[in-house]
Amino acid sequence: MTGFPAGSRARIALAVTAAAGLTLALSGCGSSSGSSTSSDGVVTITVNDMPAKTDPVNRKIFLEDVSAFEKLHPKIKVVPHEGQMDPQTFSTKLAGGQLENAFYVYYTDPAGLIAKHQAADITPYLSQFPAASQVKPQLRKVFQDAKGHTYGLPEGNYSMGLVYNRTLFQQAGLDPDKPPTTWDEVRADAKKIVALGHGTVGYGDYSKSNTGGWHFTAEMYSRGGDVAKQQSDGTWKADFDNATGKAVLQQLHDMRWTDNSMGERQLLEWADLLQMMGAGKLGMYLATSDNIPSIVAQYKGDPKEYGQGPIPGGQGTLAGGGGFMFNPKDTPEQIKAAMAWVMFKYENPDRIALGSQRASAAKQPVGLPEPNLWTGAAAQAKAAADAKYANVPVSNYAPFQQTIAGIPLVLEPPKAQQIYAVLDTAMATVLTRKDADIDSLLSDASKQVDSLLAAQ
Amino acid sequence: MATSLAPHRPGPPAAPSHGRTGALTARHARLRRRLADNALAYGFMAAGIVCFAVFSWYPLVRGIMLSFQQDNLITAPQWVGLDNYHHLFDDPLFWTAWKNTAEFTGLALLLGYAVPFVIAVLLNELRHFTAYFRIAVYLPVMLPPIVSVMLWQFFYDPGGGLFNTALRGAHLPTSQWIQSPDTAMISLVLVSTWANMGGATLMYLAALQAIPGELFEAAELDGAGLWARLRYVTLPQMRFIMLVLLLLQIISTMQVFIEPFQLTGFTDPSTITVMTLIYRYAFAVNNDFGLAASMSVLLFAVLGVFAALYLRLTRETD
């Protein structure tokens, strides 16, 4: 026998068709969201954001909250789902009717979802939840359209700063209480840290899975720049193909290739820098304070080792976060029930102190420096609870905390995740290619972002 | 089987069955008998046809339709004619992706076609530990693709990865592997070849072992050396399977996805392939399923050309 038996041609042709057909299998089959029920007046709602089984402490707290809520509202049944939002599968989940009644979104997404009518208008029901008005107006605005209609409730927000390793600072002869506040200082300090040897990296940065573009944006803001600017006619255009954009990429390029202070390993994504920090191999990187408990819990870092300083440059800091929106196919009863859950769990001034106390008892970090969600009395309650139950080395974050009020918080651009994906290329190229042409990288990315922003 | 065994009812005397009517009746009877005899076979075939229709042909037709639509899978799709295709041709990444895919396919064929053949010839010559070596060669195929790719991710790490650590140990210059545009593509091809060569090797080996021994004996009697035997006996005997593998390899390597996606992402212009660009259009950047589908249709058309070429070649050899 020298090959396949006779007659196999048809079979192979069929296999070829099938193989090629797989490349076309992008068609989606929609099905309606199947969660309502109200036989005996009980409204069932699905919600996401339940922590995974790998995070048993927070999962337990979450499930306790579900029980407490159901006790308080016997006519509402909550079906929790794990996870939050994956921007890359979100649209297919929405199309497939798999989306929860209340779903978590990043601040990067509401504008697009509102424009496409993919989230329910909750304006008529807001008056039933007066506590919502105590949330910072700037954050509430993220979930509003031009007419002032509201489509979601903020859950929290963060701002970026510089997370650094105090031990490495000390070893490199730097003052761990005085982290760098300019990009020139970052460069100089990174050189001293990398000189320690043993594979230590002075400064780390991302360039994959949208995180590169996200950091590029944060670095633009820190230098007073922007990535997209609204025009007088209301449309948006890219705004980084300029001297500020060039300065961001040039600095990274020089640190990578002239100073060799960024390590050889690039194309890093979210968990990589946390892991390097946990292993004590990384001096500094841009991050939010909530990275620190992850470094400690997941990557076995020592909480006393980490400090947080203000964002270098200090002209603006990227503020992000997320909140909850509601399935546009929901009935008014489901919307009200889902809003009641979100308000109970995430926007509840009466449970601020309880939350801090419980987190502290479960050895979860309390007192991390984060911008406050609240205004007025609720803001004061939060500050008091943080001070009372703080269990993190608060003094390590003093350089960040002291500057929060002085650095303008800048929200993410429209279509942020898509813009970040485009900008990943520029970040990856300067960090992996010594002869990277920064001008053409910026101009290519700018054209792509313009076309994204122009598309509906 | 339910054949028509019902008793004949008496009826009006049948007209003499001359000519056309009689022939038709006989044909109907034959057809009915044939249907009855093969009912089970048709039942099995129907199941297969339904599966193909639902899982292959429907997505295929739907994909082609989608390529002429603007569709985010949520709001109603809109017909846009050839707009998606115009957009593709205007996108510089479109040509980059095809160039990279061609480069990947070329390199993968060079390695993935030759290496398994050489290994199969070597395995065929082995007299000891044959089972061990066969399993060792096939082992990577049994690993889930994502596992083998992540394994290589660790090998390629330019800092503390296995390869650079070994190179440093031997005082040799290190490489950036997947991180440098100069070496990224060949690094991806190495992963793919390693992960997939087991199957091809076993197919070559089976074909080699099926070559009648007397052909080699006759060639040896005629004074043929190793190369002559390879040239005049082995290669001609293996021609058919080599053609099949060539086609299958072209088709599978042109659809390469997991290696570039996991190792270099969907934004790196030096390794973006047709499939990662489809992903980028659909899920990552454009959120445009119509655009992604039109790219898929083009890939389908190119693969169709290879399929036609294959049929033509094999028809000539029959």
Side-chain angles (χ1 to χ4, degrees):
Chain A
M1 188 192 110
T2 55
F4 289 133
S8 64
R9 263 185 299 153
R11 228 172 303 150
I12 290 166
L14 203 60
V16 171
T17 314
L22 284 178
T23 68
L24 292 170
L26 277 159
S27 54
C29 314
S31 69
S32 60
S33 171
S35 51
S36 59
T37 346
S38 55
S39 54
D40 46 357
V42 173
V43 181
T44 302
I45 49 164
T46 51
V47 302
N48 63 16
D49 198 36
M50 175 167 66
K53 281 180 183 157
T54 48
D55 182 6
V57 176
N58 285 312
R59 190 181 176 97
K60 188 167 164 264
I61 289 176
F62 188 95
L63 291 173
E64 281 169 9
D65 284 342
V66 170
S67 303
F69 175 77
E70 286 181 340
K71 215 168 180 180
L72 204 65
H73 300 273
K75 293 285 182 193
I76 301 176
K77 179 166 170 42
V78 176
V79 179
H81 292 175
E82 272 182 21
Q84 294 182 333
M85 179 215 187
D86 176 358
Q88 289 172 23
T89 57
F90 182 75
S91 52
T92 38
K93 205 172 164 185
L94 194 56
Q98 305 285 315
L99 201 65
E100 290 80 8
N101 296 111
F103 55 91
Y104 183 94
V105 292
Y106 300 119
Y107 285 168
T108 48
D109 303 296
L113 297 179
I114 294 167
K116 289 180 193 159
H117 308 289
Q118 290 165 355
D121 183 353
I122 60 169
T123 319
Y125 318 108
L126 266 179
S127 58
Q128 297 174 31
F129 303 97
S133 61
Q134 287 193 59
V135 171
K136 276 183 184 167
Q138 188 193 6
L139 302 180
R140 282 191 274 142
K141 209 161 180 277
V142 175
F143 292 92
Q144 290 169 351
D145 65 7
K147 292 179 194 155
H149 286 240
T150 300
Y151 294 83
L153 299 167
E155 175 268 334
N157 75 319
Y158 66 74
S159 72
M160 304 270 270
L162 189 78
V163 169
Y164 61 100
N165 185 315
R166 292 171 60 89
T167 310
L168 289 180
F169 262 57
Q170 220 150 18
Q171 287 171 2
L174 300 165
D175 184 350
D177 293 327
K178 288 201 178 119
T181 55
T182 66
W183 283 106
D184 286 341
E185 287 172 9
V186 168
R187 186 173 175 183
D189 290 358
K191 272 201 264 190
K192 289 182 183 161
I193 293 167
V194 83
L196 294 171
H198 309 295
T200 308
V201 172
Y203 175 79
D205 217 330
Y206 295 124
S207 47
K208 204 181 163 196
S209 303
N210 299 10
T211 55
W214 173 52
H215 267 199
F216 175 87
T217 304
E219 286 154 24
M220 285 295 287
Y221 290 178
S222 77
R223 292 171 183 266
D226 217 330
V227 293
K229 203 168 200 162
Q230 193 161 25
Q231 309 298 299
S232 52
D233 60 357
T235 59
W236 289 78
K237 269 189 168 313
D239 190 27
F240 53 81
D241 184 11
N242 50 36
T244 316
K246 195 166 176 177
V248 168
L249 293 185
Q250 192 67 53
Q251 163 121 11
L252 290 169
H253 182 268
D254 292 347
M255 287 171 74
R256 167 71 182 96
W257 298 104
T258 311
D259 305 347
N260 292 317
S261 63
M262 294 188 67
E264 286 186 84
R265 187 174 160 225
Q266 300 301 331
L267 302 180
L268 304 174
E269 51 189 317
W270 170 250
D272 295 318
L273 292 177
L274 276 71
Q275 196 176 10
M276 285 161 71
M277 205 40 133
K281 294 289 184 193
L282 177 61
M284 306 172 269
Y285 77 110
L286 284 193
T288 57
S289 60
D290 64 355
N291 276 213
I292 296 167
S294 300
I295 295 167
V296 173
Q298 291 177 45
Y299 302 104
K300 311 292 171 224
D302 178 355
K304 290 193 292 294
E305 274 200 1
Y306 311 114
Q308 191 173 19
I311 185 125
Q315 307 222 24
T317 182
L318 188 148
F324 285 84
M325 297 183 90
F326 304 89
N327 197 317
K329 293 172 187 166
D330 285 357
T331 62
E333 283 66 38
Q334 283 176 314
I335 294 178
K336 277 185 273 181
M339 283 177 74
W341 159 253
V342 173
M343 291 302 300
F344 174 84
K345 169 76 180 150
Y346 305 95
E347 276 193 23
N348 196 336
D350 301 334
R351 296 177 89 238
I352 287 173
L354 171 74
S356 302
Q357 183 193 9
R358 206 166 43 160
S360 177
K363 297 199 167 31
Q364 294 301 294
V366 179
L368 286 170
E370 274 172 346
N372 207 324
L373 182 74
W374 301 101
T375 58
Q380 286 167 9
K382 172 85 169 86
D386 271 1
K388 188 171 175 189
Y389 296 105
N391 59 1
V392 294
V394 175
S395 62
N396 285 7
Y397 314 132
F400 178 78
Q401 190 75 51
Q402 285 154 6
T403 54
I404 280 185
I407 300 178
L409 295 174
V410 190
L411 289 172
E412 298 172 274
K415 296 199 171 178
Q417 295 293 349
Q418 292 154 270
I419 293 177
Y420 294 165
V422 170
L423 288 167
D424 265 1
T425 306
M427 291 290 276
T429 310
V430 291
L431 292 173
T432 60
R433 206 167 183 147
K434 199 172 182 177
D435 61 354
D437 179 348
I438 291 175
D439 289 330
S440 77
L441 282 174
L442 287 169
S443 122
D444 280 358
S446 182
K447 275 181 222 145
Q448 288 185 57
V449 169
D450 276 343
S451 109
L452 279 176
L453 290 170
Q456 283 308 305
Chain B
M1 284 290 92
T3 50
S4 56
L5 294 173
H8 287 292
R9 265 185 294 168
S17 58
H18 291 305
R20 206 177 147 76
T21 319
L24 267 179
T25 314
R27 205 177 302 156
H28 280 152
R30 264 206 309 279
L31 186 67
R32 211 177 305 136
R33 202 175 325 120
R34 203 179 305 150
L35 278 173
D37 288 350
N38 297 318
L40 189 65
Y42 288 131
F44 277 116
M45 212 164 83
I49 286 173
V50 167
C51 280
F52 266 110
V54 172
F55 298 111
S56 278
W57 301 328
Y58 169 72
L60 205 142
V61 173
R62 179 79 174 87
I64 292 170
M65 280 166 61
L66 196 57
S67 75
F68 298 106
Q69 292 176 333
Q70 191 178 55
D71 192 352
N72 60 8
L73 300 184
I74 293 148
T75 45
Q78 288 178 352
W79 289 95
V80 293
L82 292 171
D83 278 8
N84 288 332
Y85 291 92
H86 287 149
H87 187 111
L88 283 185
F89 296 135
D90 287 342
D91 185 353
L93 278 175
F94 172 82
W95 301 108
T96 310
W98 280 106
K99 185 183 98 17
N100 288 345
T101 304
E103 193 183 335
F104 183 93
T105 307
L107 285 169
L109 279 183
L110 215 63
L111 279 177
Y113 202 53
V115 173
F117 182 75
V118 173
I119 293 178
V121 170
L122 290 176
L123 279 177
N124 200 34
E125 296 298 320
L126 276 181
R127 291 292 168 264
H128 302 289
F129 306 114
T130 47
Y132 167 76
F133 282 110
R134 275 181 209 178
I135 291 172
V137 166
Y138 197 69
L139 209 58
V141 182
M142 292 193 277
L143 282 179
I146 187 70
V147 174
S148 45
V149 169
M150 289 180 86
L151 190 72
W152 280 73
Q153 196 163 20
F154 160 68
F155 292 167
Y156 281 148
D157 188 321
L162 185 78
F163 291 165
N164 276 2
T165 305
L167 289 171
R168 274 190 213 103
H171 302 289
L172 289 169
T174 57
S175 167
Q176 286 292 301
W177 302 106
I178 48 172
Q179 291 187 184
S180 159
D182 305 326
T183 52
M185 192 56 90
I186 187 71
S187 302
L188 295 183
V189 171
L190 281 177
V191 182
S192 172
T193 306
W194 177 83
N196 298 311
M197 71 178 178
T201 305
L202 287 197
M203 284 169 87
Y204 280 137
L205 193 61
L208 274 173
Q209 290 182 341
I211 300 175
E214 46 274 28
L215 287 180
F216 287 109
E217 284 166 23
E220 274 177 43
L221 285 175
D222 287 345
L226 179 71
W227 289 115
R229 290 203 302 276
L230 196 67
R231 165 86 179 77
Y232 295 107
V233 180
T234 313
L235 286 176
Q237 290 288 319
M238 303 263 294
R239 193 182 46 153
F240 190 80
I241 193 162
M242 290 178 89
L243 275 174
V244 169
L245 282 178
L246 179 71
L247 176 81
L248 293 180
Q249 280 213 358
I250 289 174
I251 288 167
S252 67
T253 49
M254 286 194 78
Q255 295 184 68
V256 62
F257 177 72
I258 196 156
E259 288 89 353
F261 182 78
Q262 178 64 28
L263 294 173
T264 51
F266 49 79
T267 53
D268 181 359
S270 64
T271 55
I272 195 163
T273 62
V274 172
M275 287 296 282
T276 46
L277 186 59
I278 290 171
Y279 179 88
R280 185 183 159 109
Y281 284 145
F283 302 104
V285 176
N286 305 67
N287 281 352
D288 191 333
F289 292 90
L291 202 58
S294 52
M295 189 76 177
S296 306
V297 167
L298 292 181
L299 178 61
F300 174 69
V302 171
L303 297 183
V305 169
F306 283 104
L309 195 69
Y310 164 79
L311 289 172
R312 179 79 189 261
L313 281 171
T314 48
R315 195 177 304 137
E316 279 172 9
T317 57
D318 279 349

